[in-house]
Amino acid sequence: MGNVLAASKPIAGGSLPPPSPAETVKISAVSDTEKPLENPGTLEELHKKCKDVMPANFEGAKLMINKGLSNHFQVSHTINLTSTNTSGYRFGATYVGTKQTSPTEAFPVILGDIDPAGNLNANVIHQLAPNVRCKFASQIQNNKVTAAQLTTDYKGQDFTATLTAGNPNIINNSGVLVAHYLQSVTNQLSLGGELAYQYGMAVPGGQIAIVSAAARYSTELSTWSGTIGLAGIHLCYYQKASEQLQLGIEVETNFRMQEAVATIGYQIDLPKSELIFRGMVDSNWSVAAVLEKKLQPLPFTFALSGILNHTKNQFRLGCGLIIG
């Protein structure tokens, strides 16, 4: 096969002139402009990457058995033995519908669990339209509905709008309304805001509204995110240092309580050993860690949790086994 340049008409000078720096900058700028903006996700997931690095601690002994009854139905059995919370047996069930919206998503999704005291937590998630998703959550305690929440997400090409109604009570004329909006400004930068409105007899003045602004800047290896409002400031930073190490830094302040807590967390993944280790330390002198180890070839996962507070001289240890 011959050379294409050699077969073409020769150009005076013997070769093509190299592109000028101005032309190179112009071409790259056009390619970046033509790249369409992506959906930024929901405002609720603004700090998700940093939060996932932090360990989820537990105390006492825990045994969890996950059993898939079919392709759409799964149940879980959990036994907790602890001295701080209610010990006993917890039953959970998950149903995934047949409406396939993507290779990894199907709707409707129904989740529920009952604790040893007979309290029920239920969640229903359904994709009503290609851009509309609804979530309903409810809690029943002592045969009474203590909490109910309905969330509707509308996902556009480059924005997400969310409206949440919590504990609406027509008789007492009380409830909570929360509106979220997140817009992709560039492929790395997203800006948005939150409006929380609460009304009722228990609220001073009958009603109150709180407005806050949100921003997130993401690259392939790091993410900056933050919210600022009248209630406080919440800042997060996530960094993927390597394939095995992820870091997260979180600073959360509360203007009303005049408190601020800074937390540094990390996650270590060892795929060959099938081990995940998460640890954190905060400004309250608390040190916590969770280790998860898969016991192959058995479908078992061993979990070990520990949290130590130096100022309060408190230590809590947890040991768990997950089957399935």
Side-chain angles (χ1 to χ4, degrees), residues 46 49 187-190 216-225:
L46 190 72
K49 283 193 173 182
N187 290 319
Q188 291 80 29
L189 179 62
S190 300
R216 180 180 62 199
Y217 183 82
S218 301
T219 63
E220 294 182 358
L221 299 178
S222 63
T223 299
W224 294 85
S225 60

Side-chain angles (χ1 to χ4, degrees), residues 192-213:
E194 177 188 49
L195 172 61
Y197 174 75
Q198 184 179 3
Y199 61 97
M201 298 297 295
V203 180
Q207 57 185 356
I208 186 174
I210 299 177
V211 180
S212 61

Side-chain angles (χ1 to χ4, degrees), residues 104-115:
T104 58
E105 289 184 329
F107 296 94
V109 179
I110 303 175
L111 306 95
D113 66 84
I114 302 177
D115 64 10

Side-chain angles (χ1 to χ4, degrees), residues 238-297:
Y238 165 83
Q239 175 70 46
K240 185 176 182 180
S242 65
E243 293 296 331
Q244 293 79 28
L245 179 61
Q246 302 177 61
L247 301 174
I249 301 175
E250 180 181 18
V251 178
E252 189 170 5
T253 64
N254 190 320
F255 294 155
R256 182 177 300 178
M257 302 296 296
Q258 296 185 353
E259 293 180 352
V261 179
T263 306
I264 300 176
Y266 60 93
Q267 176 177 326
I268 300 176
D269 296 274
L270 301 177
K272 293 184 179 180
S273 301
E274 296 186 347
L275 184 145
I276 299 177
F277 183 85
R278 296 182 178 92
M280 57 81 72
V281 57
D282 62 17
S283 56
N284 291 328
W285 298 104
S286 295
V287 180
V290 173
L291 182 145
E292 297 179 0
K293 166 67 176 175
K294 291 186 178 180
L295 307 177
Q296 295 292 352

Side-chain angles (χ1 to χ4, degrees), residues 57 76 120 158 176 186 204 229 251 276 286 311 321:
N57 294 92
S76 64
L120 172 66
D158 57 357
V176 178
T186 65
V251 178
I276 299 177
S286 295
T311 57
L321 181 64

Side-chain angles (χ1 to χ4, degrees), residues 40-60:
T42 61
L43 192 66
E44 185 180 6
E45 300 173 346
L46 190 72
H47 309 295
K48 185 176 185 302
K49 283 193 173 182
C50 181
K51 290 289 188 180
D52 290 344
V53 174
M54 305 299 176
N57 294 92
F58 61 94
E59 184 187 8

